């Protein structure tokens, strides 16, 4: 039974990784500052992914200047749906998933998740906000990226409510360490970010089967909105997901990395983004600590080179 | 690297420890300079000379007592002398103490005769007593022959000739001879300007020939010259409370009072004032000449020394800096020598690292979230400047107004920078209205509104609004509470006046603060908030998960509890849902400049 406070020794014996240790022992040690733009700048991530032949959502257009906002309507013409995100955003803030709706009196309208409907000027405003740097990591001017909206694999889309679920895999030195599935709720307004109220679901690396779910620190077994059972679900294309994560890690060359993957109905696993400072809630979703696994990988004198061998190693860590 | 780190940390702690040890143990300074109150203790030391020229030690002594207006209590050292309040009530209010030796006073014994306390308020110069009694008692103040030796008498005569024996009266001018008082005045200026002060006491003739003399000799000279002219005069003795020539004990100084009609005119050859005392001059007593030439060492070889000592349990700032300035090492960074205004500025600056230490501890060890990294510190600064109640109220109003304004502006879909500027203008407008109303209604002192972290607050409101929109009421309230907690902690640090004084006195302590920050920066343990956040993982005992497979047990018992226990677990957590993702993702990114920067 969980006490109000855990004792530090109990957490240590469970291998729970804390923020301080994560920063110093993993983020700072394995992710050299010069490489951080590879994940902090989503445009750069996309470039690298393309160069390595990694599947990513197609990029429709990138806006840099406010003057470009005026012509947005014309440039979005013919796109049934799209995702708008700040190039240097973090924690999913500022990301809007828009689906074109029936026009009213010739004016375009967009469903943007959470049951909200935006007119064009609201969309323009949001884009201008992104450009002004409100969501960017360093507060500087940012770019707004318009991306293809992923048509999620129906087998896991049903787990989510109002948004695309994504798979977060944390890797150390190219070896997957832990994974979770994040599904949106009404509260998270279609976004798969846990701090916004999405559900985190632990996924076994070996089997790709969900085994625990929690939301805002509470464990649960069914989706709070739809009531769909969340546990015991086998994720489709699981080996492919792991393979993609390992290849992304190689392409970005970041030692400690969180890779966010979505399952496209047609293309299979698609890289959404990388994160050089992946959050620690994945431990709660998996009811397991990261530290022991990370230390086990660090203790290996030599890491396996091939993708398959690394996945096998990962799966032996999390059977 | 590890050695380097440890060395750095140790050095940061050791240097201030060493200087503090040196200051308190070697230099014997107190830890904090105490604002010195003008509270003085004094001692009248009677020194029985070792080689008396007269065969017999005095059988009794009359010691002038400091007037009762300045005294708080007196003690007599009863070892050698017995004190009797003299019947000879002093002339013009001065009391005398008759001292009778207990046993044969041996030559060379030095005895503290009197000690007492004086509070500065009482140290105002006394108005010379007036009245008929003063008039009738004038005669003794004309006796000069008793106190002047044959040799001195010649010197005095020579001086008299020099100064007015050849009166400076031009031909043809029918001038009256200068009045006696005018002549005395001339003497006074001569002594003040021509006979320079000197430490050692000399005889009158030596003072005249060498043109220098002790304070006593100069005063005595003037008194004798006045009495020769038939002008009653007496010595008034005391000390200058602002005297800086001595570190802690004040030298005794002698001045003169000259009778003019009914009153006594203060005349001070030390400071050159005629008709008034220097405002810091404390007259202990008057007329010592009458008392058997206590001070005339040539005759009875006793030496009365008066020491007034500033009563400081600690040392005042000035004194402290005097001592430190004597050491080249401390002189480099002693802030006490700066002007007061700069001192308070630096005191505040020095408190900022301490505040940051508190901030860092609260973030790294406790894990309190806040809007912005240094926003809480600046808020704390504002609270300190404005007083807590005013600061909090003002902060609340401004945030409310700003957030409302922000919500309204949101509908207008403005670009970010102009929007921020508008919010800032709104805040300024609010301040303006507040200030004007405050002037009329007098809620708080106007100077309390002097400093306000305007820009910080504008950004704060922006972040606040965005967090509210993006992450909901709960997260916003949590961050707001965290911000206030840290701001209040900072306020606590900033308003600790002893701490301020301590840092001002020992600025090198900042090194220890930096060492503590180094240690904090190397802290790898859990944050207190994580003990709560991961409470669900701390309960069930489990082997090192992951490294060795737990086979199917994981999905059954430990990791995936049956629905019943899930419900129980959530209930357990229900009273305070933890922040699931917290700032984990980008906490350090917010502090450190982004990769592109």
């Amino acid at each position: 039974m969980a006490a109000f406070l855990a004792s530090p020794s109990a957490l240590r014996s469970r291998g729970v990784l804390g923020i301080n240790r994560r920063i110093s022992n993993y983020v700072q040690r394995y992710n050299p500052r010069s490489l951080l733009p590879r994940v902090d700048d989503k445009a750069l991530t996309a470039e690298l992914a393309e160069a390595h032949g990694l599947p990513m959502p197609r990029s429709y257009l990138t806006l840099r200047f406010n003057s470009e906002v005026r012509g947005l309507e014309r440039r979005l013409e013919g796109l049934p749906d799209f995702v708008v995100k700040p190039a240097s955003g973090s924690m999913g803030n500022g990301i809007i998933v828009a689906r074109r709706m029936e026009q009213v009196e010739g004016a375009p309208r967009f469903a943007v998740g959470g049951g909200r409907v935006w007119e064009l000027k609201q969309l323009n405003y949001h884009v201008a906000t992104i450009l002004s740097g409100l969501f960017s990591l360093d507060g500087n001017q940012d770019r707004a990226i318009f991306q293809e909206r992923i048509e999620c694999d129906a087998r896991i889309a049903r787990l989510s409510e109002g948004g695309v679920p994504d798979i977060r895999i944390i890797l150390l030195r190219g070896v997957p360490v832990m994974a979770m599935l994040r599904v949106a709720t009404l509260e998270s307004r279609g976004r798969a970010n846990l701090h916004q109220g999405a559900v985190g679901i632990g996924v076994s690396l070996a089997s790709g089967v969900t085994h625990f779910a929690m939301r805002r620190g509470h464990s649960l077994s069914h989706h709070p909105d739809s009531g769909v059972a969340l546990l015991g679900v086998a994720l489709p294309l699981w080996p492919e997901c792991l393979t993609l994560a390992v290849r992304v890690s190689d392409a970005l060359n970041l030692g400690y990395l969180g890779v966010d993957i979505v399952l496209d109905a047609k293309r299979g696993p698609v890289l959404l983004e990388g994160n050089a400072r992946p959050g620690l809630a994945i431990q709660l979703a998996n009811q397991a600590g990261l530290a022991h696994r990370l230390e086990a990988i660090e203790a290996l004198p030599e890491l396996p080179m091939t993708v398959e061998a690394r996945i096998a190693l990962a799966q032996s860590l999390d059977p | 690297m590890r050695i380097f780190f440890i060395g750095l940390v140790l050095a940061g702690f050791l240097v201030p420890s060493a200087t503090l040890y040196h200051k308190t143990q070697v230099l014997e300074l107190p830890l904090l300079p105490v604002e010195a109150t003008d509270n003085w203790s004094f001692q009248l030391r009677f020194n029985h000379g070792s080689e008396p020229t007269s065969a017999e030690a005095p059988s009794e002594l009359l010691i002038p007592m400091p007037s009762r207006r300045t005294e708080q209590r007196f003690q007599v050292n009863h070892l050698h002398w017995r004190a009797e309040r003299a019947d000879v009530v002093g002339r013009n209010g001065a009391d005398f103490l008759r001292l009778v030796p207990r046993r044969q006073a041996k030559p060379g014994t030095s005895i503290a005769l009197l000690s007492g306390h004086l509070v500065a308020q009482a140290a105002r110069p006394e108005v010379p007593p007036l009245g008929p009694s003063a008039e009738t008692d004038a005669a003794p103040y004309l006796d000069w022959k008793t106190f002047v030796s044959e040799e001195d008498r010649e010197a005095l005569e020579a001086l008299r000739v020099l100064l007015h024996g050849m009166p400076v009266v031009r031909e043809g001018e029918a001038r009256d001879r200068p009045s006696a008082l005018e002549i005395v005045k001339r003497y006074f200026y001569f002594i003040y300007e021509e006979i320079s002060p000197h430490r050692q006491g000399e005889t009158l003739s030596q003072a005249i020939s060498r043109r220098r003399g002790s304070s006593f000799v100069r005063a005595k000279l003037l008194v004798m010259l006045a009495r020769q002219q038939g002008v009653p005069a007496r010595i008034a003795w005391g000390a200058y409370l602002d005297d800086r020539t001595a570190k802690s004990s004040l030298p005794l100084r002698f001045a003169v009072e000259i009778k003019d009609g009914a009153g006594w005119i203060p005349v001070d050859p030390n400071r050159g004032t005629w008709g008034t005392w220097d405002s810091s001059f404390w007259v202990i007593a008057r007329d010592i000449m009458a008392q058997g030439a206590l001070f005339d060492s040539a005759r009875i070889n006793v030496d009365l020394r008066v020491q007034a000592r500033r009563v400081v349990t600690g040392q005042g700032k000035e004194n402290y800096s005097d001592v430190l300035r004597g050491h080249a090492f401390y002189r480099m960074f002693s802030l006490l020598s700066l002007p007061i205004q700069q001192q308070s500025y630096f005191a505040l600056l020095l408190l900022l690292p301490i505040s940051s230490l508190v901030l860092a501890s609260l973030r790294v060890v406790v894990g309190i979230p806040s809007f912005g990294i240094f926003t809480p510190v600046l808020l704390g600064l504002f609270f300190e400047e404005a007083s807590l109640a005013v600061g909090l109220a003002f902060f609340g109003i401004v945030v409310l107004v700003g957030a409302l304004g922000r919500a309204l502006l949101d509908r207008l879909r403005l670009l970010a920078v102009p929007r921020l500027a508008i919010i800032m203008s709104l805040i300024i407008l609010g301040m303006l209205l507040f200030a004007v109303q405050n002037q009329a209604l007098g809620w708080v002192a106007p100077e309390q509104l002097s400093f306000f972290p305007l820009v910080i607050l504008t950004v704060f409101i922006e972040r606040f609004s965005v967090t509210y929109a993006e992450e909901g009421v709960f997260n916003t309230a949590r961050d707001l509470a965290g911000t206030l907690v840290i701001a209040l902690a900072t306020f606590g640090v900033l308003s600790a006046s002893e701490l301020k004084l301590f840092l001002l006195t020992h600025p090198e302590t900042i090194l220890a603060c930096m060492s503590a920050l180094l240690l904090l920066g190397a802290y790898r343990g859990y944050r207190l908030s994580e003990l709560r956040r991961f409470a669900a993982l701390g309960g069930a005992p489990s082997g090192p998960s992951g490294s060795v497979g737990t086979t199917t047990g994981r999905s059954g018992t430990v990791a995936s509890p049956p629905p019943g226990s899930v419900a129980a677990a959530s209930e357990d957590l229900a009273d305070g849902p933890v922040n699931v993702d917290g700032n984990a993702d980008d906490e350090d990114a917010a502090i450190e400049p982004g990769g592109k920067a």
Side-chain angles (χ1 to χ4, degrees):
Chain A
M1 191 53 46
F4 181 77
L5 284 180
S7 76
S9 63
L11 291 187
R12 224 172 287 130
S13 73
R14 288 288 296 267
V16 173
L17 184 66
I19 291 179
N20 295 333
R21 192 170 287 277
R22 179 199 66 165
I23 293 173
S24 68
N25 287 15
Y26 297 102
V27 176
Q28 288 182 352
R29 183 178 298 169
Y30 290 104
N31 296 342
R33 171 127 315 172
S34 58
L35 297 186
L36 290 185
R38 294 181 173 191
V39 286
D40 291 342
D41 181 351
K42 290 181 178 65
L44 192 56
T45 313
E47 252 174 57
L48 279 167
E50 197 182 350
H52 287 79
L54 302 172
M56 263 194 100
R58 262 192 305 279
S59 185
Y60 295 136
L61 56 125
T62 303
L63 298 192
R64 283 167 201 280
F65 306 108
N66 272 313
S67 56
E68 295 176 287
V69 177
R70 195 177 287 272
L72 195 56
E73 182 183 6
R74 193 173 34 77
R75 298 175 74 175
L76 291 176
E77 241 168 60
L79 294 179
D81 44 32
F82 52 86
V83 177
V84 190
K85 50 173 72 169
S88 306
S90 69
M91 297 197 282
N93 287 338
I95 297 179
I96 288 294
V97 179
R99 206 174 63 251
R100 196 177 282 273
M101 297 173 72
E102 292 279 313
Q103 291 198 352
V104 174
E105 296 163 8
R109 288 157 71 231
F110 304 91
V112 292
R116 291 171 300 166
V117 175
W118 278 7
E119 292 172 25
L120 186 68
K121 60 178 180 182
Q122 279 161 306
L123 182 69
N124 286 348
Y125 177 60
H126 185 73
V127 171
T129 308
I130 291 175
L131 295 180
S132 72
L134 186 59
F135 304 106
S136 82
L137 276 171
D138 49 14
N140 288 335
Q141 294 266 311
D142 203 359
R143 283 156 295 166
I145 298 177
F146 287 74
Q147 272 183 349
E148 165 192 20
R149 176 173 168 269
I150 298 294
E151 193 56 57
C152 185
D153 192 304
R155 286 169 286 181
I156 63 167
R158 65 183 183 87
L159 300 178
S160 185
E161 193 67 39
V164 178
D166 72 1
I167 299 162
R168 155 73 58 93
I169 299 174
I170 290 182
L171 304 97
L172 182 70
R173 300 166 76 189
V175 179
V177 177
M178 203 175 269
M180 75 170 158
L181 176 72
R182 301 185 294 191
V183 302
T185 61
L186 290 182
E187 186 193 345
S188 79
R189 293 198 287 219
R191 285 168 301 189
N193 290 88
L194 300 192
H195 71 110
Q196 289 169 335
V199 181
I201 306 169
V203 178
S204 155
L205 283 179
S207 61
V209 175
T210 61
H211 59 78
F212 189 83
M214 62 94 209
R215 176 170 165 266
R216 294 211 184 281
H218 304 264
S219 66
L220 64 165
S221 57
H222 293 79
H223 195 284
D225 305 318
S226 64
V228 173
L230 299 172
L231 305 182
V233 178
L235 301 188
L237 301 172
W238 182 242
E240 286 80 358
C241 289
L242 288 176
T243 305
L244 176 63
V246 171
R247 289 180 62 204
V248 168
S249 167
D250 285 351
L252 297 178
N253 201 20
L254 287 164
Y256 184 67
L257 181 67
V259 173
D260 293 348
I261 292 170
V262 284
L263 275 181
D264 188 84
K266 298 181 198 103
R267 298 157 70 195
V270 167
L271 168 66
L272 208 56
E273 61 178 26
N275 194 322
R277 310 165 195 89
L280 297 170
I282 196 171
Q283 303 177 109
L284 283 168
N286 276 280
Q287 291 290 290
L290 279 165
H292 291 316
R293 299 184 191 181
L294 295 171
E295 285 156 13
I297 293 173
E298 286 181 300
L300 288 178
E302 217 172 313
L303 284 173
M305 290 303 293
T306 64
V307 173
E308 293 75 24
R310 278 188 265 167
I311 290 175
L313 170 62
Q315 292 181 328
S316 75
L317 291 174
D318 182 21
Chain B
M1 207 58 199
R2 191 164 190 81
I3 301 242
F4 174 69
F5 178 80
I6 293 171
L8 216 56
V9 171
L10 278 182
F13 284 123
L14 282 180
V15 169
S17 310
T19 58
L20 284 184
Y21 179 85
H22 181 244
K23 285 178 193 172
T24 54
Q25 302 303 314
V26 181
L27 299 181
E28 293 186 335
L29 289 167
L31 205 55
L32 287 182
V34 172
E35 296 294 342
T37 53
D38 263 346
N39 192 352
W40 301 78
S41 81
F42 58 87
Q43 277 190 334
L44 307 180
R45 280 170 65 89
F46 174 77
N47 226 358
H48 190 181
S50 55
E51 289 170 31
T53 45
S54 61
E56 280 180 59
S59 58
E60 68 165 34
L61 281 171
L62 286 175
I63 303 295
M65 284 261 297
S67 105
R68 251 174 270 155
R69 259 168 298 188
T70 59
E71 109 197 38
Q72 283 189 337
R73 66 195 160 83
F74 285 101
Q75 286 176 336
V76 176
N77 184 335
H78 289 274
L79 197 59
H80 301 288
W81 299 81
R82 191 155 42 84
E84 292 168 2
R85 180 59 58 97
D87 314 325
V88 195
V89 172
R91 302 169 180 86
N92 303 317
D95 285 353
F96 291 85
L97 200 67
R98 188 202 306 275
L99 292 168
V100 184
R102 278 183 186 280
R103 45 189 111 115
Q104 193 60 39
K106 288 173 191 151
T109 48
S110 126
I111 311 149
L113 290 178
L114 287 172
S115 62
H117 278 283
L118 167 74
V119 183
Q121 271 82 357
R124 295 293 94 194
E126 291 169 46
V127 180
L130 300 167
S133 67
E135 192 77 53
T136 51
D137 286 350
Y141 297 114
L142 288 168
D143 173 24
W144 58 279
K145 290 179 177 139
T146 321
F147 309 102
V148 178
S149 66
E150 204 56 45
E151 188 191 355
D152 287 348
R153 202 173 293 192
E154 284 168 24
L156 284 183
E157 185 55 30
L159 188 63
R160 200 178 62 80
V161 170
L162 175 73
L163 289 181
H164 73 103
M166 298 181 284
V168 195
V169 179
R170 284 180 197 152
E171 237 177 297
E173 275 182 305
R175 267 231 176 137
D176 289 337
R177 281 181 58 81
S179 74
L181 201 62
E182 276 170 38
I183 293 168
V184 172
K185 202 168 192 172
R186 204 176 289 174
Y187 286 143
F188 163 70
Y189 284 122
F190 171 77
I191 291 169
Y192 177 62
E193 279 163 18
E194 300 293 332
I195 299 185
S196 58
H198 197 262
R199 248 180 317 124
Q200 274 151 12
E202 290 164 276
T203 63
L204 295 182
S205 57
Q206 283 170 335
I208 292 167
S209 61
R210 296 180 190 173
R211 292 288 194 268
R212 63 180 195 194
S214 66
S215 175
F216 174 67
V217 164
R218 292 167 90 224
K220 184 178 171 185
L221 181 59
L222 184 59
V223 168
M224 293 309 140
L225 286 168
R227 288 181 182 182
Q228 273 191 329
Q229 293 294 322
V231 176
R234 63 186 183 188
I235 286 182
W237 50 280
Y240 296 97
L241 295 180
D242 64 350
D243 203 320
R244 293 279 171 75
T245 55
K247 290 262 183 273
S248 54
S249 80
L250 295 173
L252 186 61
R253 292 285 183 238
F254 299 87
V256 176
E257 285 179 338
I258 285 167
K259 198 157 172 21
D260 176 29
W264 290 88
I265 305 169
V267 174
D268 186 348
N270 302 295
R271 304 254 161 134
T273 57
W274 177 280
T276 173
W277 290 130
D278 185 288
S279 66
S280 72
F281 189 58
W282 166 48
V283 178
I284 296 173
R286 298 184 164 81
D287 185 28
I288 48 179
M289 301 308 298
Q291 295 312 307
L294 255 184
F295 294 83
D296 199 335
S297 53
R299 276 181 57 148
I300 59 166
N301 195 34
V302 287
D303 171 30
L304 181 68
R305 286 171 57 199
V306 179
Q307 278 192 319
R309 190 176 279 273
R310 207 169 200 170
V311 179
V312 273
T313 39
Q315 306 233 18
K317 268 193 201 171
E318 288 157 358
N319 204 353
Y320 213 107
S321 72
D322 281 347
V323 177
L324 292 188
R325 221 174 300 164
H327 290 74
F329 177 67
Y330 295 127
R331 205 181 309 144
M332 284 192 301
F333 52 85
S334 172
L335 296 174
L336 294 176
S337 53
L338 292 176
I340 295 291
Q341 224 172 0
Q342 275 186 45
Q343 276 189 26
S344 57
Y345 172 68
F346 275 108
L348 205 61
L349 278 193
L350 283 169
L351 280 172
L352 284 183
I354 306 287
S355 310
S356 306
L357 180 64
V358 171
L359 167 81
S361 316
L362 290 178
R363 283 186 79 98
V364 170
V365 179
V366 182
I368 295 179
S370 67
F371 288 109
I373 306 300
F374 287 103
T375 305
V377 172
L378 289 161
L379 273 181
L381 239 144
F382 169 60
F383 291 165
E384 201 273 332
E385 194 95 0
S387 89
L388 189 57
V390 175
L392 274 176
F394 208 61
F395 172 71
I397 292 170
V398 164
V399 167
L400 204 70
V401 168
L404 279 176
R406 170 71 170 74
L408 286 174
L409 287 177
D410 220 20
R411 294 159 173 249
L412 300 179
R413 315 198 180 293
L414 303 175
L415 298 178
V417 175
R419 186 177 61 215
L420 282 172
I422 291 175
I423 291 172
M424 189 169 75
S425 310
L426 267 179
I427 297 173
I428 291 174
L429 216 68
M431 285 175 66
L432 224 122
L433 286 175
F434 185 87
V436 172
Q437 288 305 306
N438 185 46
Q439 193 64 31
L441 299 172
W443 294 317
V444 292
E447 64 270 15
Q448 287 187 327
L449 299 173
S450 55
F451 166 80
F452 200 72
L454 254 185
V455 177
I456 292 296
L457 217 79
T458 308
V459 174
F460 172 86
I461 286 169
E462 188 69 13
R463 277 172 180 263
F464 178 85
S465 309
V466 170
T467 308
Y468 181 78
E470 293 269 336
E471 297 176 26
V473 185
F474 173 73
N475 287 340
T476 314
R478 184 201 60 202
D479 289 4
L480 185 63
T483 307
L484 279 178
V485 165
I486 299 178
L488 288 178
T490 308
F491 167 77
V493 170
L494 293 176
S495 47
S497 55
E498 279 87 5
L499 184 64
K500 205 182 228 174
L501 189 61
F502 181 82
L503 288 171
L504 199 63
T505 317
H506 314 288
E508 67 271 22
T509 327
I510 290 304
L511 293 177
C513 176
M514 286 167 72
S515 277
L517 283 167
L518 276 175
L519 287 178
L520 263 186
Y523 175 67
R524 300 286 177 261
Y526 296 110
R527 297 178 180 184
L528 210 57
S529 62
E530 288 177 331
L531 299 185
R532 175 82 193 103
R533 181 185 183 193
F534 295 119
L537 288 173
S542 161
S545 68
S547 54
V548 184
T550 48
T551 64
T552 51
R554 155 168 292 276
S555 58
T557 51
V558 181
S560 178
S565 71
V566 168
S570 30
E571 208 127 300
D572 209 24
L573 294 165
D575 54 340
V578 283
N579 160 32
V580 172
D581 216 6
N583 294 340
D585 263 58
D586 289 297
E587 151 129 346
D588 43 331
I591 304 171
E592 298 152 5
K596 284 178 295 185

